[in-house]
Amino acid sequence: MSGSSDYVPPKVWTWNKANGGQFANINRPIAGPTHEKELPIGRHPLQLYSLGTPNGQKVTIMLEELLALGHSGAEYDAWLIRIGDGDQFGSGFVKVNPNSKIPALMDRSGEKPIRVFESGAILTYLAEKFGAFLPTEPSERAECLSWLFWQMGSAPYLGGGFGHFYAYAPTKIEYAIDRFAMEVKRQLDVLDRRLAESGYLAGSQYTIADIAIWPWYGGLVKGWTYGAAEFLQVEDYKNVQRWADAIFSRPAVQRGRMVNRTSGEPSGQLHERHDASDFDTRTQDKLAAAAE
């Protein structure tokens, strides 16, 4: 994309493979697989294929929270999908998610495997399967699902909008950054006003709404995302800060945030998770020490 104000879109857009940007090598205007590659299958009922991005963290946090409640049926294998290498375009992954985005889940606990894709759908599926983190009282359920879908509609402005143009685009475009910074700050104000009147987003109870929103907006206000904390003055959102700290204090959240993570401190990266003991024995710092 040109930063020049004299750019005029052509009558017909064509794919320019040299358009730059951090993700130019994996973005394309067509769907479907680019290569044959079957997905691995572990020993647990749930098979997760993901990466420790905010969208990926939603599902691993949910699974760790379910296990913490004693739901043994939520045991899972988490396989790393390296989107920078194009793993999401392998034939096996596309069968699970035709949209080629992480996370993707296969539930093999029944006679017929069930695929679930899109993070909000996965959270809802797991909440209903295990009867947890989704209220059953109609008004409370509606509030929870409303905030869950708020995240689905709002986060693209944060990630694909603000995050892309502020942190990843090959040129800094003032109009684009201003446009999306304004929207992200409006969203933070929406959250701050809600959390001024409620302990959690759906009410007094922690739900899948919090699990969905926290990796994006909690990470943003804690300064973990895009290096934009000062730029967005995130300390001004006191209620969001309180909520973000409360959720991060949960052990299941801390574990879930580590799974399929490939950045940050090696001690916080668990590339694949196949057993609860992996958190103690298979983080990247432990594997590196064992290899020496």
Side-chain angles (χ1 to χ4, degrees):
M1 178 183 290
S2 170
S4 173
S5 60
D6 59 4
Y7 170 72
V8 178
K11 290 184 178 180
V12 178
W13 182 84
T14 57
W15 183 19
N16 178 4
K17 293 184 179 179
N19 64 354
Q22 182 169 332
F23 302 104
N25 65 319
I26 62 169
N27 290 334
R28 59 195 185 111
I30 55 176
T34 60
H35 58 282
E36 291 294 320
K37 185 178 181 181
E38 292 303 311
L39 291 173
I41 300 173
R43 62 187 176 89
H44 294 304
L46 301 175
Q47 299 294 302
L48 177 67
Y49 305 95
S50 192
L51 181 67
T53 65
N55 281 337
Q57 288 175 36
K58 297 175 195 175
V59 180
T60 50
I61 288 171
M62 179 65 168
L63 290 166
E64 291 297 328
E65 291 281 16
L66 290 169
L67 290 170
L69 284 181
H71 293 287
S72 58
E75 270 294 354
Y76 68 105
D77 292 279
W79 303 95
L80 180 61
I81 299 297
R82 294 184 182 272
I83 61 175
D85 296 340
D87 289 351
Q88 70 275 31
F89 300 121
S91 57
F93 190 90
V94 174
K95 288 178 183 177
V96 182
N97 185 354
N99 196 38
S100 291
K101 302 290 185 181
I102 63 92
L105 180 74
M106 287 295 294
D107 182 353
R108 296 181 173 275
S109 62
E111 292 185 8
K112 181 181 178 181
I114 298 173
R115 76 175 186 184
V116 196
F117 58 91
E118 292 297 325
S119 58
I122 297 173
L123 291 181
T124 305
Y125 176 81
L126 292 172
E128 291 180 338
K129 179 181 177 72
F130 294 102
F133 303 114
L134 177 58
T136 56
E137 193 279 324
S139 64
E140 294 177 357
R141 180 184 174 87
E143 188 74 17
C144 176
L145 292 176
S146 293
W147 284 107
L148 174 66
F149 281 85
W150 178 89
Q151 189 278 320
M152 302 298 134
S154 297
Y157 290 96
L158 170 55
F162 175 76
H164 176 76
F165 288 107
Y166 183 81
Y168 302 132
T171 57
K172 301 298 183 189
I173 303 170
E174 182 179 1
Y175 172 81
I177 293 173
D178 283 351
R179 166 70 180 85
F180 290 111
M182 178 174 64
E183 173 59 14
V184 170
K185 287 184 70 66
R186 188 194 69 82
Q187 293 174 3
L188 287 170
D189 194 42
V190 169
L191 292 175
D192 204 63
R193 290 168 184 266
R194 170 57 178 166
L195 291 166
E197 63 186 18
S198 179
Y200 294 99
L201 287 161
S204 61
Q205 301 299 313
Y206 173 68
T207 70
I208 55 173
D210 303 289
I211 292 172
I213 293 170
W214 183 84
W216 281 103
Y217 295 89
L220 183 67
V221 300
K222 299 321 295 180
W224 303 331
T225 310
Y226 309 128
E230 182 178 6
F231 181 76
L232 295 173
Q233 295 178 290
V234 297
E235 291 300 327
D236 290 349
Y237 304 98
K238 304 297 185 185
N239 300 304
V240 182
Q241 291 283 351
R242 183 267 307 161
W243 166 84
D245 288 339
I247 292 178
F248 186 56
S249 70
R250 299 175 69 92
V253 171
Q254 295 174 28
R255 290 193 300 273
R257 190 169 178 265
M258 295 169 63
V259 180
N260 297 145
R261 190 174 183 85
T262 60
S263 62
E265 291 294 324
S267 60
Q269 297 182 38
L270 181 62
H271 286 188
E272 290 187 359
R273 187 268 192 210
H274 304 290
D275 188 85
S277 64
D278 291 344
F279 290 102
D280 298 320
T281 62
R282 297 192 60 81
T283 53
Q284 286 302 107
D285 61 321
K286 301 280 196 331
L287 293 179
E292 291 178 353

